[in-house]
Amino acid sequence: MKITVLSMLLLPAVCGNASCRAQEKGNTVPETQAGQEMIVEVQELVPIESDRSIRTTNLDLLFRIKDFDTPDFKFHGGLTVSHARGTITRQTGSFQAGTLKEETYASTATGAGPVLAIQTELARSGNLSASLHGSAGVLLYDRDFPGGASRYEFMLRYGPTVSYRLNDRQDLSLTLRGMHVSNGQGFNSHNPQYNALGFGVQFLGAF
């Protein structure tokens, strides 16, 4: 008898709590549903230094690495293909010898290599969300790049992303990216690093 009375008292509370949870779940925009996520992004970046007049176009193909995920961060890994074109201006010669001068070098090249990206969501309202993105990769180019450097370069990118949820499997995003390219050999003539800033369009699909 006691068990029956206790059951009658607890049943409405349990059902009510379940109903509230179901309602909260229905009001929340779900994360992209799938076993795998793929991101395709195209970026166009322009120079921010007068002596590094190099425009850069990047294509990223990334896949979610769920084993690396934490409650606050998502990880993606994949491939970056980059095409850069322009010139750099550098000082050559010696001040003591009186041969110091500025020379301009052609700096057009295409490279590709692996990249690891990390992303954290800052805010979400309905189908709109804002997040912060960072990535690091190492690219091998088809020639020394920029002029006077090496065949390999490290590429660091960072910036915000604004996304719109198209459905439970697709997002469309606009990105703002800063970029630093360097071969890591320090501040010298063998490492004519450059920086750029630009926009991108990103598509996330789940399958």
Side-chain angles (χ1 to χ4, degrees):
M1 180 66 177
K2 290 182 179 180
I3 296 176
T4 303
V5 172
L6 185 61
S7 300
M8 293 176 65
L9 291 174
L10 290 178
L11 186 59
V14 172
C15 293
N17 185 53
S19 177
C20 290
R21 289 179 179 273
Q23 184 175 0
E24 289 176 0
K25 186 175 180 181
N27 292 335
T28 303
V29 177
E31 187 177 344
T32 305
Q33 301 295 314
Q36 182 59 276
E37 290 180 5
M38 179 180 70
I39 291 177
V40 179
E41 181 174 353
V42 178
Q43 302 163 356
E44 184 69 23
L45 302 106
V46 298
I48 59 176
E49 301 156 303
S50 60
D51 59 346
R52 300 288 191 268
S53 183
I54 301 174
R55 294 182 65 97
T56 308
T57 303
N58 295 325
L59 172 64
D60 291 331
L61 179 61
L62 305 174
F63 293 90
R64 178 87 169 268
I65 310 176
K66 292 188 177 181
D67 291 342
F68 289 5
D69 284 356
T70 71
D72 297 318
F73 297 97
K74 293 181 182 179
F75 288 84
H76 294 81
L79 178 72
T80 292
V81 179
S82 180
H83 178 66
R85 60 273 187 205
T87 61
I88 66 169
T89 302
R90 301 167 53 195
Q91 287 188 338
T92 61
S94 169
F95 178 79
Q96 290 80 4
T99 59
L100 188 64
K101 62 179 180 179
E102 288 190 344
E103 291 192 40
T104 299
Y105 295 84
S107 295
T108 297
T110 300
V115 61
L116 179 65
I118 183 172
Q119 182 176 354
T120 183
E121 188 173 279
L122 302 177
R124 176 176 291 276
S125 177
N127 288 326
L128 285 174
S129 65
S131 57
L132 191 62
H133 170 104
S135 67
V138 56
L139 277 67
L140 183 65
Y141 289 84
D142 59 354
R143 66 197 68 187
D144 291 346
F145 173 80
S150 56
R151 288 290 184 99
Y152 74 91
E153 296 287 333
F154 298 101
M155 179 181 288
L156 305 178
R157 284 170 288 173
Y158 47 88
T161 298
V162 177
S163 303
Y164 181 77
R165 175 66 51 84
L166 300 174
N167 52 55
D168 65 345
R169 290 180 177 270
Q170 297 176 329
D171 285 6
L172 185 63
S173 306
L174 294 178
T175 67
L176 173 64
R177 295 287 182 261
M179 181 182 71
H180 175 75
V181 176
S182 165
N183 62 20
Q185 296 183 21
F187 297 95
N188 55 57
S189 60
H190 300 294
N191 182 24
Q193 57 192 336
Y194 79 98
N195 299 284
L197 181 69
F199 293 92
V201 177
Q202 181 187 102
F203 174 79
L204 182 149
F207 54 91

